[in-house]
Every structure is written in C-alpha cells, then in structure tokens.
Amino acid sequence: MPTRLHKNRKKRGHVSAGHGRVGKHRKHPSGRGNAGGMHHKRILFDKYHPGYFGKVGMRYFHKTQNKFHCPTLNLDKLWTLVGEDVRKQYMDRKDVAPVIDVYKHGFFKLLGRGNLPTQPVIVKSKFFSKTAEKKIKAVGGVCVLTA
C-alpha cells in the first residue's frame, strides 16, 4: 500500500495521532499475548474460554498407536470386498459357501450395520461385534476368528 493511502497521513499535525493525551499509546500495557490469563485478564478467560486452565483425565506414558489400530467394516459393505459376480456364482449352490477374509482386505473388525443377502457365507476376521455375528449366523453363515 503506498504511503499516501495510509490512515496516518490524515493524522499528521495532530499531536497524539488519535491515541489520546492522558492514556498514551504505550507498547504492551497489559502484557503480550495470553499474559495475565490467571490474573488481570481472568474475567475474559472465564467468560469466553471456560476450562482453558487445568488438566483432565489420566496420563498415558509413551502411548503408541499400534495397539489401538483397528480398521472397521460394516456388514452392508461386506460383499463389496469380493464383488457381485462371486455372490451370483455361489447363489444357487448349497454344498459350498464363499469365504470372505476381511483381514486380507485391511480390516480388523466387522460391525453389524446393514443387512446381508440371504446367502450363507464364511467370514474370517480378527474381531466381530455381537450384532454382526448374529446377522451372519441368521443367514446360515459362519464367523471364523483369525489371529
């Protein structure tokens, strides 16, 4: 922005430049940044940022995320792992059922949202929710736990 457009040009010739004679425009009269949150700015912090100070919960030393890694898949997406052609191939056969290994497709746990087509299926996974297990068994399928 060129100098001629600055607001300060209008204030030339006026002693305090709009900052008042009594209060004066000083550097950082109340401290820099969040200084004084526990002291002279306490009302502001309590009003607009409740819960800013303090701690909550337990500490977890050296938390690694590996043990919590558990990608999930719902039942309504189960058949998309193998495709519609596989489902049609096994639809009329009573002696064999397709095997869907959920773990091989990168999922650890099978959850129970949605419905399955009434067709037996063998599902392999590390974990199953109760509802998923119930729905798989209801269509004549089997849940196989893998390590």
Side-chain angles (χ1 to χ4, degrees), residues 98-120:
V99 179
I100 302 175
D101 195 339
V102 175
Y103 179 70
K104 284 217 174 109
H105 291 89
F107 299 100
F108 284 14
K109 186 169 185 175
L110 194 64
L111 305 177
R113 187 180 73 189
N115 296 309
L116 284 172
T118 52
Q119 182 179 345

Tab-separated table of all heavy atoms in Angstrom, residues 98-120:
chain	number	residue	atom	x	y	z
A	98	PRO	N	-18.991	-69.074	-0.182
A	98	PRO	CA	-17.787	-68.262	-0.413
A	98	PRO	C	-17.116	-67.872	0.897
A	98	PRO	O	-17.784	-67.693	1.918
A	98	PRO	CB	-18.332	-67.023	-1.132
A	98	PRO	CG	-19.751	-66.949	-0.742
A	98	PRO	CD	-20.212	-68.357	-0.532
A	99	VAL	N	-15.799	-67.762	0.858
A	99	VAL	CA	-15.024	-67.341	2.033
A	99	VAL	C	-14.591	-65.896	1.810
A	99	VAL	O	-13.947	-65.583	0.812
A	99	VAL	CB	-13.790	-68.238	2.243
A	99	VAL	CG1	-12.991	-67.756	3.450
A	99	VAL	CG2	-14.212	-69.682	2.424
A	100	ILE	N	-14.969	-65.032	2.740
A	100	ILE	CA	-14.539	-63.623	2.663
A	100	ILE	C	-13.586	-63.367	3.826
A	100	ILE	O	-13.991	-63.410	4.990
A	100	ILE	CB	-15.739	-62.657	2.735
A	100	ILE	CG1	-16.731	-62.938	1.598
A	100	ILE	CG2	-15.262	-61.214	2.674
A	100	ILE	CD1	-17.997	-62.110	1.664
A	101	ASP	N	-12.312	-63.129	3.511
A	101	ASP	CA	-11.329	-62.811	4.545
A	101	ASP	C	-11.243	-61.292	4.667
A	101	ASP	O	-10.641	-60.619	3.828
A	101	ASP	CB	-9.971	-63.403	4.190
A	101	ASP	CG	-9.031	-63.424	5.383
A	101	ASP	OD1	-9.265	-62.641	6.327
A	101	ASP	OD2	-8.076	-64.220	5.381
A	102	VAL	N	-11.859	-60.789	5.712
A	102	VAL	CA	-11.919	-59.339	5.935
A	102	VAL	C	-10.522	-58.780	6.224
A	102	VAL	O	-10.162	-57.690	5.769
A	102	VAL	CB	-12.892	-59.032	7.094
A	102	VAL	CG1	-12.897	-57.562	7.436
A	102	VAL	CG2	-14.296	-59.488	6.734
A	103	TYR	N	-9.713	-59.548	6.961
A	103	TYR	CA	-8.370	-59.111	7.347
A	103	TYR	C	-7.477	-58.904	6.123
A	103	TYR	O	-6.671	-57.978	6.083
A	103	TYR	CB	-7.758	-60.143	8.296
A	103	TYR	CG	-6.360	-59.808	8.746
A	103	TYR	CD1	-6.141	-58.743	9.619
A	103	TYR	CD2	-5.255	-60.531	8.301
A	103	TYR	CE1	-4.862	-58.422	10.040
A	103	TYR	CE2	-3.983	-60.220	8.712
A	103	TYR	CZ	-3.789	-59.166	9.581
A	103	TYR	OH	-2.520	-58.837	9.994
A	104	LYS	N	-7.621	-59.764	5.109
A	104	LYS	CA	-6.794	-59.641	3.896
A	104	LYS	C	-7.087	-58.353	3.135
A	104	LYS	O	-6.277	-57.883	2.350
A	104	LYS	CB	-7.035	-60.835	2.983
A	104	LYS	CG	-6.337	-62.094	3.466
A	104	LYS	CD	-5.802	-62.913	2.313
A	104	LYS	CE	-4.993	-64.091	2.818
A	104	LYS	NZ	-5.660	-65.363	2.607
A	105	HIS	N	-8.279	-57.803	3.345
A	105	HIS	CA	-8.648	-56.552	2.683
A	105	HIS	C	-8.329	-55.328	3.554
A	105	HIS	O	-8.742	-54.220	3.247
A	105	HIS	CB	-10.134	-56.554	2.326
A	105	HIS	CG	-10.464	-57.526	1.230
A	105	HIS	ND1	-10.800	-58.835	1.476
A	105	HIS	CD2	-10.473	-57.386	-0.115
A	105	HIS	CE1	-11.022	-59.453	0.324
A	105	HIS	NE2	-10.825	-58.601	-0.664
A	106	GLY	N	-7.636	-55.550	4.681
A	106	GLY	CA	-7.165	-54.435	5.505
A	106	GLY	C	-8.094	-54.015	6.626
A	106	GLY	O	-7.920	-52.947	7.196
A	107	PHE	N	-9.085	-54.834	6.958
A	107	PHE	CA	-9.994	-54.513	8.061
A	107	PHE	C	-9.803	-55.514	9.195
A	107	PHE	O	-9.587	-56.698	8.946
A	107	PHE	CB	-11.450	-54.533	7.588
A	107	PHE	CG	-11.747	-53.529	6.510
A	107	PHE	CD1	-11.799	-53.917	5.180
A	107	PHE	CD2	-11.946	-52.193	6.821
A	107	PHE	CE1	-12.061	-53.001	4.179
A	107	PHE	CE2	-12.199	-51.266	5.825
A	107	PHE	CZ	-12.253	-51.668	4.508
A	108	PHE	N	-9.891	-55.025	10.435
A	108	PHE	CA	-9.695	-55.903	11.587
A	108	PHE	C	-11.017	-56.350	12.199
A	108	PHE	O	-11.141	-57.457	12.667
A	108	PHE	CB	-8.881	-55.188	12.678
A	108	PHE	CG	-7.416	-55.087	12.381
A	108	PHE	CD1	-6.901	-55.337	11.113
A	108	PHE	CD2	-6.526	-54.731	13.383
A	108	PHE	CE1	-5.549	-55.235	10.840
A	108	PHE	CE2	-5.172	-54.630	13.120
A	108	PHE	CZ	-4.679	-54.878	11.854
A	109	LYS	N	-12.002	-55.451	12.209
A	109	LYS	CA	-13.248	-55.740	12.932
A	109	LYS	C	-14.451	-55.579	12.015
A	109	LYS	O	-14.508	-54.653	11.210
A	109	LYS	CB	-13.393	-54.805	14.131
A	109	LYS	CG	-14.573	-55.139	15.020
A	109	LYS	CD	-14.540	-54.374	16.321
A	109	LYS	CE	-15.664	-54.815	17.228
A	109	LYS	NZ	-15.584	-54.183	18.546
A	110	LEU	N	-15.401	-56.501	12.162
A	110	LEU	CA	-16.623	-56.456	11.379
A	110	LEU	C	-17.766	-55.992	12.271
A	110	LEU	O	-18.032	-56.598	13.313
A	110	LEU	CB	-16.930	-57.842	10.799
A	110	LEU	CG	-17.971	-57.895	9.703
A	110	LEU	CD1	-17.498	-57.125	8.479
A	110	LEU	CD2	-18.270	-59.327	9.310
A	111	LEU	N	-18.424	-54.904	11.867
A	111	LEU	CA	-19.533	-54.340	12.637
A	111	LEU	C	-20.855	-54.672	11.961
A	111	LEU	O	-20.892	-55.056	10.797
A	111	LEU	CB	-19.368	-52.824	12.774
A	111	LEU	CG	-18.034	-52.360	13.365
A	111	LEU	CD1	-17.955	-50.848	13.389
A	111	LEU	CD2	-17.832	-52.917	14.757
A	112	GLY	N	-21.966	-54.491	12.699
A	112	GLY	CA	-23.240	-55.044	12.248
A	112	GLY	C	-24.231	-54.106	11.599
A	112	GLY	O	-25.420	-54.394	11.597
A	113	ARG	N	-23.812	-52.985	11.027
A	113	ARG	CA	-24.781	-52.098	10.371
A	113	ARG	C	-25.204	-52.689	9.027
A	113	ARG	O	-24.375	-53.213	8.285
A	113	ARG	CB	-24.189	-50.716	10.151
A	113	ARG	CG	-25.227	-49.710	9.630
A	113	ARG	CD	-24.636	-48.360	9.421
A	113	ARG	NE	-23.771	-48.367	8.232
A	113	ARG	CZ	-22.988	-47.360	7.907
A	113	ARG	NH1	-22.919	-46.301	8.655
A	113	ARG	NH2	-22.237	-47.426	6.809
A	114	GLY	N	-26.465	-52.576	8.711
A	114	GLY	CA	-26.964	-53.042	7.423
A	114	GLY	C	-27.391	-54.504	7.462
A	114	GLY	O	-27.301	-55.169	8.490
A	115	ASN	N	-27.859	-54.989	6.326
A	115	ASN	CA	-28.345	-56.364	6.224
A	115	ASN	C	-27.549	-57.131	5.192
A	115	ASN	O	-26.999	-56.560	4.248
A	115	ASN	CB	-29.833	-56.376	5.843
A	115	ASN	CG	-30.685	-55.736	6.921
A	115	ASN	OD1	-30.583	-56.092	8.083
A	115	ASN	ND2	-31.504	-54.767	6.538
A	116	LEU	N	-27.538	-58.465	5.370
A	116	LEU	CA	-26.877	-59.342	4.417
A	116	LEU	C	-27.911	-59.993	3.512
A	116	LEU	O	-29.042	-60.238	3.944
A	116	LEU	CB	-26.124	-60.448	5.166
A	116	LEU	CG	-24.813	-60.068	5.836
A	116	LEU	CD1	-24.311	-61.221	6.678
A	116	LEU	CD2	-23.770	-59.701	4.803
A	117	PRO	N	-27.545	-60.307	2.266
A	117	PRO	CA	-28.458	-61.097	1.444
A	117	PRO	C	-28.571	-62.504	2.031
A	117	PRO	O	-27.623	-63.010	2.624
A	117	PRO	CB	-27.768	-61.117	0.076
A	117	PRO	CG	-26.371	-60.708	0.320
A	117	PRO	CD	-26.344	-59.898	1.557
A	118	THR	N	-29.739	-63.123	1.880
A	118	THR	CA	-29.966	-64.445	2.484
A	118	THR	C	-29.186	-65.496	1.702
A	118	THR	O	-29.729	-66.204	0.858
A	118	THR	CB	-31.471	-64.775	2.507
A	118	THR	OG1	-31.973	-64.593	1.183
A	118	THR	CG2	-32.207	-63.887	3.481
A	119	GLN	N	-27.898	-65.546	2.022
A	119	GLN	CA	-26.986	-66.456	1.343
A	119	GLN	C	-25.865	-66.803	2.320
A	119	GLN	O	-25.236	-65.898	2.880
A	119	GLN	CB	-26.427	-65.749	0.106
A	119	GLN	CG	-25.507	-66.585	-0.723
A	119	GLN	CD	-25.033	-65.812	-1.941
A	119	GLN	OE1	-25.601	-64.784	-2.306
A	119	GLN	NE2	-24.000	-66.302	-2.583
A	120	PRO	N	-25.610	-68.099	2.559
A	120	PRO	CA	-24.565	-68.471	3.519
A	120	PRO	C	-23.190	-67.953	3.073
A	120	PRO	O	-22.877	-67.953	1.881
A	120	PRO	CB	-24.589	-70.006	3.517
A	120	PRO	CG	-25.898	-70.372	2.939
A	120	PRO	CD	-26.280	-69.272	2.007
